[in-house]
Amino acid sequence: MTNGEHSMINVVIPAAGEATRLRPLTSNCSKAMVRVHGKPTVEYIIESIYKNTPDVAEIVIVDGKYDDIREWAAKSKYDNIKCVKQGSLNGPRDAIFKGIDVLKDETLPLVVWLGDAIILDEDLPLGTDFLLTRKVEDHFAWCMWDGKDFFNKPTESIPNAVALVGLYSFSDGTGASYAFENANEYDISFALEKYARSTGKEFERIETSKWYDIGDIASYHRTCAEFLTFKARSFNSFMYDSDLNVVTKVPNYTNEFAVKTLKNEKAWYASLNSKQRMFVPKVLDDDYGLSLSYESGTLLSDLFIHEDISNSTIDYLIEKVILSVHDYFHERPSLDFLEGFGKNAKKMWIDKTKDRLSKNNLNTPVYDFYAEVAKRCMKAAEPVQAMHGDLHFGNVLYNPYNDAIVLLDPRGEYGDHIGCGGDNMYDLCKLSHDLYHGYNSLFQSKAYPKYVRESFEKIIRRYYPNRYQEIIDGGALLIATCIPLHYDNPERQQRMKDYINEYAYSGIRY
């Protein structure tokens, strides 16, 4: 980051508006607290600020009639956030000045970041003079800027103009304070014009590639669907059809493995019985990709990380998933599946383990430990009619309004078998590698509450006492065997490797 002679910046986030276009989502909360996959919008904003610069002196959030933003801020890890009420809703320019007015040092460079603007661009020069923009077709819905003049929701298209998307950066904090105090107009653009005139500075135009809208119900759901791409494997992409409320998963067709994986997933859905289909999205006919109904809810991994839920709720949700899978998926399989079960189980537990561990450069004692775990897990495995195959809480949606769980992203392959058949130990060990060993925490800036591990351990002891140790050790094994799959993130691979080494050497048995 380069912001002139200063090394620190101030940030003001106006978030006092009532967001009527987003109701009923904002009927009882601030717009900045609306959650996208479990995380409040304001949390995406704060995280994005710190991804661009660590040099933040103060963050002032101007909130409205609800206190939920300041309650979130008080519980957050950030100790430089201050909240101030706008009072009368006199527009965004007034809200921004209310925030500037309580800063300790107004001379520092200033960044104004609207409270509904999820912007995930990195390497932004925060604290310099720039406006974040994007090209749009519907000029009438935006504040347009042609590099010289600003046009608030013009009735006709403006030549060579771009839309302002809610991020404004000023190198001169004193000049910005003066502009927002003295513009005396409703919209932000009047303050931008006054700043440029009074300071003689020119704004750089920076175009965003990662701006996401939650301005109304339609755009909110579109953003939620688009965010699924962040959780997709690198060889898949998503398309969202808002009319049908359908998400289509499309593989990279130059990647043979990607095509095979998607075909296996389609075969898994096609093999389910009628009761099992109650736990998955609806599947549409599609020869091009995999088209599924977009289901409402929050991923349980996001729910555990971002929501302050009680221990009893954690117990309930973990037990609900385990018992639902046991009762409806882990049924007795057909004789046709049993015929090749032994061979396929060996491929899943023994052959795959040897192949993956050989790529991890493990010390001999660690390699031998996990090779032995694989043998014990295969011995404990029981054939089942349907195995999910990737059963961690990042693949389980929960809807609190109807208490429904929805399983996503199944494996669809068990050795040479293509479809839903498999063994119950693999699913249980997948849960263990997430809930006991913290797999999803390796991808997030936050970890699950400590009680999640305690709850999982307690429930497994209750329902699977004779296989408890294999399930716990098997969870660590599955972390070890998925390390090669994370080749695109060496830092994450090292964290995983450090964990499985420590676990193997610890000799701790619970």
Side-chain angles (χ1 to χ4, degrees), residues 30-54:
S30 303
K31 188 176 184 180
M33 287 302 294
V34 170
R35 283 164 163 73
V36 177
H37 290 295
K39 185 188 297 186
T41 299
V42 68
E43 189 167 345
Y44 283 104
I45 294 172
I46 304 296
E47 288 179 353
S48 292
I49 292 168
Y50 277 98
K51 284 181 180 178
N52 281 282
T53 178

Side-chain angles (χ1 to χ4, degrees), residues 69-82:
I69 297 176
R70 55 187 62 207
E71 290 169 357
W72 170 85
K75 295 177 181 178
S76 76
K77 65 180 181 181
Y78 306 102
D79 58 5
N80 61 343
I81 297 178
K82 180 189 302 182

Side-chain angles (χ1 to χ4, degrees), residues 25 35-38 217-229 231 238-248 280-284 290-299 397 399 406 408:
L25 294 178
R35 283 164 163 73
V36 177
H37 290 295
I217 288 292
S219 58
Y220 167 78
H221 287 295
R222 187 179 304 110
T223 290
C224 288
E226 289 176 357
F227 270 44
L228 288 174
T229 63
K231 300 178 184 293
F238 282 91
M239 298 185 299
Y240 176 61
D241 185 326
S242 59
D243 293 329
L244 293 176
N245 201 32
V246 165
V247 174
T248 299
V280 301
K282 301 179 185 69
V283 181
L284 279 71
L290 174 60
S291 292
L292 303 166
S293 59
Y294 175 65
E295 299 293 329
S296 299
T298 301
L299 294 173
L397 275 175
N399 188 335
V406 178
L408 307 172

